[in-house]
Amino acid sequence: MNRRIRTALGVALTATLVTTAAPAPATAHDRRPSVIALPDGFAPEGVAAAGRYAWFGSRATGEIYRADLITGAGKQVSPATGTPSLGLKIDPRGRLFVAGGTAGDARVIDTRTGDVLASYRFAEAPTFVNDVTLTRDAAWFTDSNRPVLYRLPLGRGGTLPPADGFTTLPLTGDFQQDGTGVNLNGIAPTPDGRALIVVQSNTGTLFRVDPATGVTTAVDVPGATFLNGDGLLLLGRTLYVVQNFLNQVAVVDLNRCGTAGVARGVITDPGFDVPTTVAAALGRLYLPNGRFTTPPTPTTPYTVVAVDPR
């Protein structure tokens, strides 16, 4: 994740459908842990959640780890690959879609068995397949090094395509690739489900993407920028934008088509240490700490922080 560090220092639905309502806040007697420990040296990036569990990907080794959000206990569900596991999304069939970073690939994992169900090689270096979102008929991946999206079409019953069954969508319009740092990062659907929202980390701009044409338009959010924007999460019409090096989550109310929004402030927490991505579960938002400013070692501790939505 060195590209992220250099960029930041240089520039100071179910799971596949749009969620229709924000989760209720936790009660005063809630005993669920607000901080969950991940394995030492894990170096987390992505998070996906369903029920009482959350899955985390290691950017260091590619391992996938599952944590129980009620007890805090966890275990490995998919072994190290030697390549990164970055953005994650889980579908109602218990399949985890994983963005492969510098490997230029993606894979789909059965969360019950840990088996790799399918793998896809999108691009050769330079590439950085960073994040993923799911819609009714496709999985969409961003590439931080290229002005494109990768689309995995999902057939009847969610059938996965063959290894060469993906398409590459070039982006045109308002979005312009800016230098060699982290450009496209997080991705989410628009509230009406007809388009996609992406964030450009090094400019702090949100863009709406027409999935049929690749035409992009900047989302009008007066008075707000989203520098170091990382993972995105849409709940109803509220978009949460993780701003990793700023240790905060921006909260934006979007219109239905995702062309404009109103910034409602930010969520912060003393436990944030360069959070990367966000998932909603059990009435809370869960964010893994990437700790990009801390030298990674096999004994470096990593945590996940739970906060209330707003």
Side-chain angles (χ1 to χ4, degrees):
M1 199 55 64
N2 290 338
R3 288 188 180 90
R4 291 176 179 272
I5 297 174
R6 289 197 297 268
T7 298
L9 296 179
V11 294
L13 306 2
T14 57
T16 64
L17 305 180
V18 176
T19 306
T20 57
T27 67
H29 301 290
D30 191 351
R31 295 185 179 181
R32 293 168 295 177
S34 295
V35 177
I36 295 174
L38 296 174
D40 287 351
F42 188 78
E45 168 72 15
V47 57
R52 64 185 285 172
Y53 297 105
W55 290 261
F56 302 91
S58 169
R59 67 181 186 272
T61 69
E63 175 187 347
I64 303 295
Y65 180 86
R66 189 191 77 178
D68 186 318
L69 301 177
I70 294 178
T71 68
K75 66 177 184 178
Q76 180 191 89
V77 296
S78 185
T81 60
T83 58
S85 291
L86 303 185
L88 308 178
K89 288 295 183 296
I90 189 169
D91 74 4
R93 297 171 178 84
R95 303 182 302 186
L96 191 69
F97 292 72
V98 183
T102 51
D105 65 1
R107 67 191 191 280
V108 184
I109 296 170
D110 185 327
T111 57
R112 291 173 286 267
T113 66
D115 293 340
V116 177
L117 302 175
S119 297
Y120 305 91
R121 175 58 60 87
F122 297 138
E124 302 295 334
T127 179
F128 198 78
V129 181
N130 203 331
D131 209 350
V132 55
T133 195
L134 300 176
T135 62
R136 287 179 174 84
D137 61 359
W140 293 89
F141 295 80
T142 59
D143 191 327
S144 296
N145 287 165
R146 302 183 180 203
V148 301
L149 298 180
Y150 305 112
R151 180 180 185 268
L152 289 183
L154 303 177
R156 180 173 297 183
T159 303
L160 297 170
D164 62 352
F166 64 89
T167 56
T168 300
L169 180 69
L171 301 184
T172 62
D174 289 348
F175 176 81
Q176 298 293 316
Q177 192 82 358
D178 183 9
T180 59
V182 176
N183 278 259
L184 286 179
N185 201 326
I187 183 170
T190 55
D192 63 8
R194 296 183 178 182
L196 301 163
I197 299 284
V198 295
V199 64
Q200 188 174 18
S201 293
N202 53 356
T203 67
T205 306
L206 295 172
F207 294 92
R208 182 185 187 273
V209 183
D210 184 325
T213 65
V215 174
T216 64
T217 53
V219 180
D220 182 20
V221 186
T225 60
F226 306 96
L227 189 65
N228 301 141
D230 203 325
L232 302 182
L233 173 67
L234 183 74
L235 296 178
R237 286 168 55 174
T238 300
L239 183 70
Y240 296 92
V241 184
V242 182
Q243 294 179 270
N244 49 35
F245 283 94
L246 301 184
N247 286 310
Q248 65 185 32
V249 182
V251 184
V252 181
D253 288 337
L254 294 173
N255 60 12
R256 282 188 53 79
C257 58
T259 58
V262 176
R264 281 206 287 117
V266 298
I267 298 171
T268 60
D269 189 273
F272 285 168
D273 191 352
V274 196
T276 52
T277 50
V278 57
L282 305 180
R284 287 172 160 178
L285 303 179
Y286 288 86
L287 297 97
N289 280 318
R291 306 197 72 191
F292 295 156
T293 58
T294 299
T297 74
T299 59
T300 301
Y302 291 94
T303 58
V304 181
V305 176
V307 298
D308 290 335
R310 53 176 290 184

